[in-house]
Amino acid sequence: MDEVIQVTQWLSSITPRKKAKLFFFTTHADAPSPMVGSNDVDTHEETQLPLATTVALHNFKNIDEFLKKKVNTFSCYNVIENEITKTDYEYLRFYSACKYLDVVPPFLDLEKISAIQNKFEMTDEEQDYRLLLDSADLVLEKVCDSLKPAGVSQMWTALRKDRNLIRGVKTIDIIGFFVDPNPTGIKECLFFFIVRFLQKADKINRVNTNRLERLIAQCDESSSCEEGKTIDFIIDSLRFYPTELYPFGFCLIMCVIEGRDGAMQEIEKTMEISRHLGMITHTEKNPTKETIELVKKELMKPKYQFYSSFTCWFMSHGDSNSMVLADGETIEREWFLTSFPDISTFQLKPKVFFMVSCRGANKFSLKGDEFEGQSATCDYYDIGSALIRNRMLDITDSVRDISYVQPMMDTLVAYSTILDHLSGRANTHGSIYVDRACVLMSENISRGRSLTEILEHLSQDLHEILQETMDEDRIVYKQACHYDSFFRKTLKLPYTRHPKEDVHSAPQ
């Protein structure tokens, strides 16, 4: 069959709503640039003009032309063996979006997909199409689905009132002030236009969504929300780190085995909980400084930009400032913690570090006969009120910026003990902190708990446990853990996900 006919038939089989979503996912806002094979075409116009004309004319002709152009580009594309090009990214995004929406063209060359994935050095686990979807876009899709056409129309009206933001933007004028978003697919096009416009204007990104939240907050709840949804519910969904679908993220486990009883148990527990959470996991036993440098270099490879989060477990002996490596050398804990968050592939994504080692020799000792022989080793205020807000500073958009970010932002560091104190362990099971952390995380999957909630529970749980030193003094003591957070959103634990199990049901 002629390719032109095939493409036409494929497009005619896709609903307007799915066309709008396919366009949105394909024109991903954070696509790397510049790349090999990229040009100077104004991507602002390329991604927004088809949406604007579709909304203004109630006609999907320009989106159809855009999708045809993509298909034709991929059809003629020859995969270059060594260089990763902009087209490689676009091809993977397009394929994953089609797969997610259940509209994969029957004529799409899957061998090219495989060749591109091989260029990215993706493992079998990483070749799951869900890894290639952008979690932030999936969250925005759900926000759109939660709003009625009237709600998106009200957002548009609120946006149009911001003269400083929209001045001189041609695509804004194409749509006009009054919009009828009721025809099928037009609501989606208008919402996605608003999102991409705010992203291109550097007003929102995958972490900073305040500007979008303020537009939604101006909607009338009775007319703007789909059944069962509220304005608060929709806004709250934007206040979590986007970690939709499988995998939840990439997990690096580093564990010094030499001289640490129970270390293999630590590895087994952290691997089990990481996989249970839906992470793709890599383990380094007996790491050295050279190992750490090689891992950092590995994490800078392009494929890691597809991950939604990064978690690292580092388990070793240590003191107040440093950690002992497998070869007896030490590294500064601060150096380790500040070198990983700056890796570009995980910028604007949550990064969690579990630092499991002693930070000194002090103990919170318990004295008294009752402790001998006991040991685990053997009102909400509404700040939105007008009265309070009238007393607050008026922070305008002109003094806000989301372009420059401190490297440690979006990072959380969890310590197994407080400064200058021991971190307890059992002879056969390894770190008690690791054991309790894994137990609590596994118990709270599917309960909608955030990571910080679980860490607070862990702090309570661990501090109840009586431990005993393994020297001749046999001192009974308690251990206190804590965490330092630079998070700007809440990180929720995912529901159980199994890599080989396709849990997706296609959106409408």
Side-chain angles (χ1 to χ4, degrees):
M1 186 184 295
D2 182 82
E3 185 174 309
V4 175
I5 297 175
Q6 284 185 313
V7 173
T8 302
Q9 290 181 344
W10 170 67
L11 284 171
S12 65
S13 69
I14 306 174
T15 66
R17 291 185 66 197
K18 285 191 176 183
K19 282 183 183 178
K21 292 182 177 185
L22 181 56
F23 180 89
F24 178 65
F25 292 137
T26 304
T27 56
H28 179 61
D30 296 327
S33 180
M35 291 291 299
V36 175
S38 64
N39 51 42
D40 296 324
V41 173
D42 184 356
T43 54
H44 175 92
E45 291 294 326
E46 184 184 23
T47 58
Q48 293 183 48
L49 186 58
L51 289 172
T53 55
T54 301
V55 172
L57 303 175
H58 290 183
N59 187 314
F60 277 78
K61 178 181 178 182
N62 284 340
I63 287 182
D64 285 350
E65 289 300 319
F66 174 89
L67 295 175
K68 283 181 184 178
K69 182 180 177 182
K70 286 292 179 188
V71 169
N72 291 334
T73 298
F74 299 148
S75 178
C76 300
Y77 179 58
N78 294 316
V79 180
I80 305 169
E81 286 189 11
N82 298 319
E83 297 175 327
I84 292 177
T85 69
K86 183 180 178 183
T87 305
D88 290 330
Y89 280 96
E90 291 176 346
Y91 209 146
L92 292 181
R93 294 290 190 196
F94 180 77
Y95 164 71
S96 63
C98 289
K99 184 81 172 171
Y100 172 70
L101 295 167
D102 197 22
V103 293
V104 178
F107 48 84
L108 194 67
D109 192 339
L110 299 183
E111 289 186 4
K112 287 184 181 179
I113 299 291
S114 180
I116 294 171
Q117 289 174 326
N118 289 336
K119 262 206 296 187
F120 277 87
E121 301 178 26
M122 290 181 173
T123 63
D124 289 344
E125 276 187 299
E126 291 171 329
Q127 292 190 15
D128 190 308
Y129 80 92
R130 291 171 290 180
L131 172 65
L132 306 174
L133 291 163
D134 183 75
S135 290
D137 282 351
L138 293 174
V139 171
L140 292 166
E141 178 208 16
K142 288 184 178 179
V143 170
C144 181
D145 289 345
S146 299
L147 290 166
K148 289 182 178 179
V152 179
S153 180
Q154 290 166 31
M155 288 176 62
W156 176 247
T157 300
L159 178 67
R160 286 295 305 256
K161 291 178 180 178
D162 191 337
R163 296 297 181 187
N164 292 328
L165 182 60
I166 68 171
R167 184 178 291 116
V169 181
K170 294 179 180 178
T171 46
I172 295 282
D173 294 331
I174 288 174
I175 296 176
F177 198 94
F178 298 104
V179 177
D180 177 12
N182 289 294
T184 305
I186 301 302
K187 176 196 81 170
E188 286 75 16
C189 287
L190 181 58
F191 179 83
F192 296 146
F193 176 88
I194 293 171
V195 167
R196 290 292 186 243
F197 170 75
L198 292 174
Q199 288 170 335
K200 295 296 181 182
D202 270 339
K203 297 301 179 184
I204 65 171
N205 55 33
R206 64 185 298 121
V207 172
N208 302 89
T209 54
N210 288 338
R211 193 67 183 83
L212 182 62
E213 291 172 27
R214 279 152 48 198
L215 288 179
I216 296 171
Q218 294 181 60
C219 295
D220 171 58
E221 186 163 279
S222 62
S223 61
S224 62
C225 300
E226 291 288 354
E227 186 176 352
K229 309 297 183 185
T230 65
I231 294 295
D232 285 344
F233 172 85
I234 296 170
I235 291 176
D236 283 348
S237 70
L238 290 167
R239 292 180 177 170
F240 299 102
Y241 280 107
T243 52
E244 301 292 304
L245 291 184
Y246 168 87
F248 179 61
F250 182 79
C251 181
L252 171 65
I253 300 171
M254 289 186 166
C255 183
V256 176
I257 299 173
E258 302 298 330
R260 297 182 65 249
D261 294 335
M264 290 304 298
Q265 284 283 327
E266 295 171 353
I267 293 175
E268 289 177 13
K269 291 172 186 175
T270 50
M271 285 183 65
E272 182 180 2
I273 190 61
S274 298
R275 288 171 177 166
H276 197 47
L277 288 168
M279 294 182 180
I280 292 177
T281 306
H282 175 76
T283 302
E284 289 287 348
K285 299 175 184 176
N286 288 325
T288 63
K289 193 163 186 177
E290 182 182 4
T291 306
I292 294 171
E293 292 295 344
L294 289 173
V295 168
K296 285 166 58 181
K297 186 177 180 181
E298 166 70 19
L299 293 175
M300 295 177 72
K301 291 182 178 179
K303 71 174 181 177
Y304 291 98
Q305 75 147 3
F306 293 111
Y307 283 92
S308 299
S309 69
F310 174 74
T311 299
C312 175
W313 292 83
F314 195 100
M315 297 166 282
S316 71
H317 289 305
D319 57 29
S320 59
N321 297 315
S322 59
M323 302 177 294
V324 183
L325 301 175
D327 55 7
E329 295 292 317
T330 61
I331 57 167
E332 294 295 312
R333 190 178 285 104
E334 192 68 22
W335 170 84
F336 180 86
L337 289 172
T338 55
S339 60
F340 275 87
D342 205 19
I343 294 174
S344 60
T345 46
F346 291 102
Q347 283 184 355
L348 300 180
K349 298 173 184 178
K351 296 164 283 289
V352 179
F353 294 84
F354 290 95
M355 310 304 291
V356 184
S357 69
C358 289
R359 301 177 70 192
N362 292 340
K363 300 171 286 295
F364 176 60
S365 303
L366 304 179
K367 297 179 181 179
D369 294 341
E370 67 270 28
F371 297 118
E372 290 184 7
Q374 297 186 39
S375 168
T377 315
C378 345
D379 295 329
Y380 177 78
Y381 293 93
D382 183 11
I383 63 170
S385 74
L387 179 61
I388 295 178
R389 282 197 173 275
N390 287 340
R391 297 177 183 175
M392 300 294 183
L393 286 171
D394 182 17
I395 308 297
T396 64
D397 284 348
S398 63
V399 294
R400 293 181 182 272
D401 172 79
I402 67 172
S403 303
Y404 300 96
V405 182
Q406 289 278 4
M408 284 299 290
M409 295 307 292
D410 307 306
T411 300
L412 182 147
V413 183
Y415 297 95
S416 62
T417 189
I418 58 178
L419 187 62
D420 296 328
H421 283 68
L422 286 176
S423 180
R425 55 190 306 98
N427 286 332
T428 55
H429 289 72
S431 166
I432 296 174
Y433 174 88
V434 170
D435 181 86
R436 302 316 302 160
C438 292
V439 167
L440 290 176
M441 280 191 274
S442 66
E443 287 178 350
N444 282 282
I445 288 177
S446 302
R447 294 183 182 178
R449 300 282 194 271
S450 69
L451 176 64
T452 49
E453 284 179 300
I454 291 171
L455 290 177
E456 287 155 6
H457 189 178
L458 172 61
S459 180
Q460 177 191 141
D461 185 53
L462 184 67
H463 200 56
E464 291 178 355
I465 299 172
L466 300 177
Q467 302 186 51
E468 189 175 61
T469 60
M470 298 180 185
D471 55 22
E472 60 183 19
D473 294 330
R474 311 297 288 182
I475 297 172
V476 178
Y477 68 97
K478 280 189 172 186
Q479 180 176 336
C481 59
H482 75 110
Y483 66 90
D484 294 331
S485 176
F486 302 88
F487 274 5
R488 293 182 286 171
K489 284 185 180 291
T490 302
L491 179 61
K492 270 193 175 183
L493 289 190
Y495 290 90
T496 304
R497 298 185 177 98
H498 302 286
K500 294 181 180 179
E501 197 173 300
D502 190 349
V503 297
H504 164 67
S505 60
Q508 298 301 307

